[in-house]
Amino acid sequence: MNFDLTEEQTMLYKMIREFADQVVAPGAAERDRTKTFPIDVFKQLAEMGIMGLPFPEEFGGAGADTISFAIVTEQLSRACASTGITYSAHISLGGVPIALFGTKEQKEKYLVPICTGESFGAFGLTEPNAGSDAGGTETKAEDKGDHFVINGSKVFITNASFAKHVAITAITGKDNGKKEISAIIVPTDSEGFTIKSDYEKMGLNASNTTELIFENVKVPKENLLGKRGDGFKQFLKTLDGGRIGIAAMAVGIAQAAFDKAINYSKQRKQFGKSLAQFQATQFKLADMAVKIELARNMVYKASWLKDQGRPYSKEASIAKYYASEIAMEVCDEAIQIHGGYGYIKEYEVERYLRDAKLTEIGEGTSEVQKLVIARQILQL
């Protein structure tokens, strides 16, 4: 296996790393404090052609691969995790379902604005009683002949306040006594569609997390995404790609915490020596470096398999599970190395820990990932 990035990937890495350092990182702490969505950052990313990175050029994208998407997500998350998760959800949850299952007309109408940055991508799956368990879906789309009437709600939906449309899952009927779950594209300006964004969160404060409320929302049948009743299969495939995004985000956060720990350990003096000169600190830093490198390699492997058109569900879950676990561990160690200063917001590592916690939850908890991995191994 060749671990070298291609020439295009290397150029992208250098460009996005520089952008993350110079444009994204400087305002990250202030955006976290004020809970300000980084709209100006994304306007610049749109101008750079990054907002539609992995999608076909035919629909305004850049035609890049999944590894490139992982690179961008990691670098943005290293500078500001709120920006990273916004981008990851925009692509992997908002754009991918339309790219995979939409008709040409739907792609022209709904994917193009995502690629150009005119609209953010958002995907409405999670409900109060249903997330990874699609069987708990309660939102209904009643068939009225030439249109659906949607009633229900979704929770913890990323980017919806800045999206012009959201692809959601809803019950469209019964199939042999079981819920028939379909995916439907719903314009956010539809009558009866309310978006609330008043969550008080532990971290990722500059990202947009919303509740969607549908009260007799009328949507034409042409907005059905893919085949009726295939919503369950569609969201499973969507979440596989989403896990790569969350894993890349976790690696980025871990890298940021690691970088801070290295810099602090070189500057901080104890007993006449820098912390970096103590073997105990060196052991901590070595463990952190190993975990980050292994997590990044797993993200790239899952991405590569996806790009080759090969099965990657197990690898995506492994990447997401491991990267999220080590992100928490690395951030915790970074705080320990900083000592009392690690508890102070000015030194930023406490923010990394708060932000990293979401990676253990988003796109399915660690327990969900273990189930996915185990079922793949056991071929259940």
Side-chain angles (χ1 to χ4, degrees):
M1 182 180 292
N2 185 357
F3 287 89
D4 290 332
L5 297 177
T6 65
E7 183 178 346
E8 291 81 6
Q9 290 164 350
T10 301
M11 290 174 60
L12 175 67
Y13 172 83
K14 291 179 179 178
M15 178 182 72
I16 202 66
R17 182 178 179 84
E18 181 178 303
F19 178 82
D21 287 340
Q22 296 180 3
V23 178
V24 184
E30 180 65 12
R31 289 193 298 270
D32 176 70
R33 187 183 69 80
T34 60
K35 303 178 183 178
T36 303
F37 187 76
I39 190 68
D40 290 339
V41 169
F42 284 101
K43 286 180 180 178
Q44 293 181 63
L45 286 171
E47 292 171 359
M48 295 163 63
I50 301 297
M51 296 300 277
L53 190 67
F55 301 123
E57 295 179 17
E58 177 186 1
F59 302 106
D65 55 16
T66 309
I67 292 176
S68 297
F69 160 70
I71 288 170
V72 173
T73 301
E74 178 187 337
Q75 291 305 313
L76 291 178
S77 300
R78 181 180 60 84
C80 170
S82 290
T83 302
I85 194 171
T86 300
Y87 181 77
S88 180
H90 168 79
I91 297 288
S92 64
L93 300 183
V96 165
I98 298 171
L100 287 179
F101 312 114
T103 63
K104 187 173 186 294
E105 291 74 19
Q106 287 174 334
K107 291 175 185 178
E108 290 173 346
K109 187 173 182 179
Y110 300 112
L111 184 59
V112 170
I114 287 176
C115 291
T116 60
E118 182 184 349
S119 172
F120 279 81
F123 182 60
L125 169 66
T126 306
E127 298 185 11
N129 297 312
S132 300
D133 174 22
T137 299
E138 295 177 353
T139 296
K140 293 182 173 63
E142 189 176 356
D143 191 334
K144 293 292 186 179
D146 64 345
H147 65 276
F148 293 109
V149 174
I150 304 173
N151 283 282
S153 65
K154 302 288 181 178
V155 295
F156 308 139
I157 308 305
T158 305
N159 295 346
S161 295
F162 298 88
K164 293 192 174 182
H165 57 271
V166 181
I168 70 160
T169 52
I171 301 168
T172 50
K174 295 281 187 178
D175 185 9
N176 294 323
K178 295 182 179 180
K179 294 177 181 177
E180 177 191 79
I181 299 175
S182 303
I184 303 170
I185 302 170
V186 185
T188 53
D189 61 357
S190 299
E191 186 177 352
F193 188 179
T194 303
I195 299 174
K196 296 171 62 178
S197 57
D198 51 6
Y199 289 116
E200 290 290 332
K201 298 180 293 184
M202 172 182 177
L204 299 171
N205 287 316
S207 68
N208 178 240
T209 308
T210 68
E211 179 182 2
L212 312 182
I213 301 170
F214 305 93
E215 297 175 305
N216 295 319
V217 176
K218 185 177 178 181
V219 178
K221 280 282 188 67
E222 64 191 38
N223 283 32
L224 182 69
L225 184 60
K227 294 182 180 179
R228 180 166 173 165
D230 276 1
F232 182 77
K233 296 177 184 177
Q234 292 170 1
F235 101 76
L236 283 179
K237 194 165 184 178
T238 298
L239 289 186
D240 280 341
R243 284 164 186 151
I244 292 176
I246 292 292
M249 174 187 165
V251 171
I253 297 172
Q255 186 67 56
F258 180 60
D259 292 343
K260 290 284 187 182
I262 288 177
N263 291 335
Y264 184 81
S265 70
K266 290 178 178 179
Q267 297 167 6
R268 177 68 169 170
K269 302 288 185 180
Q270 289 282 7
F271 307 106
K273 297 193 296 185
S274 69
L275 290 180
Q277 291 177 285
F278 289 96
Q279 193 176 66
T281 305
Q282 293 172 2
F283 282 177
K284 285 179 182 290
L285 292 171
D287 283 340
M288 294 159 78
V290 169
K291 290 172 181 176
I292 293 170
E293 190 66 18
L294 291 175
R296 182 179 290 115
N297 283 347
M298 199 64 229
V299 171
Y300 284 6
K301 180 179 181 180
S303 300
W304 181 82
L305 288 171
K306 183 174 184 288
D307 289 332
Q308 298 302 309
R310 294 166 60 177
Y312 69 97
S313 179
K314 180 183 70 174
E315 288 75 12
S317 286
I318 291 174
K320 194 271 181 187
Y321 166 57
Y322 183 69
S324 63
E325 294 278 308
I326 69 100
M328 288 295 291
E329 293 171 11
V330 169
C331 290
D332 185 56
E333 285 287 23
I335 291 174
Q336 289 297 114
I337 289 173
H338 279 73
Y341 290 107
Y343 208 66
I344 305 301
K345 288 183 181 293
E346 178 185 350
Y347 286 78
E348 297 193 270
V349 284
E350 62 82 31
R351 185 180 89 241
Y352 300 147
L353 183 69
R354 289 188 286 109
D355 290 346
K357 186 59 187 175
L358 186 280
T359 67
E360 291 188 312
I361 301 169
E363 313 311 315
T365 62
S366 296
E367 289 73 23
V368 169
Q369 306 315 314
K370 291 178 184 178
L371 284 175
V372 174
I373 296 164
R375 287 172 180 172
Q376 292 282 337
I377 294 170
L378 297 169
Q379 297 183 346
L380 295 177

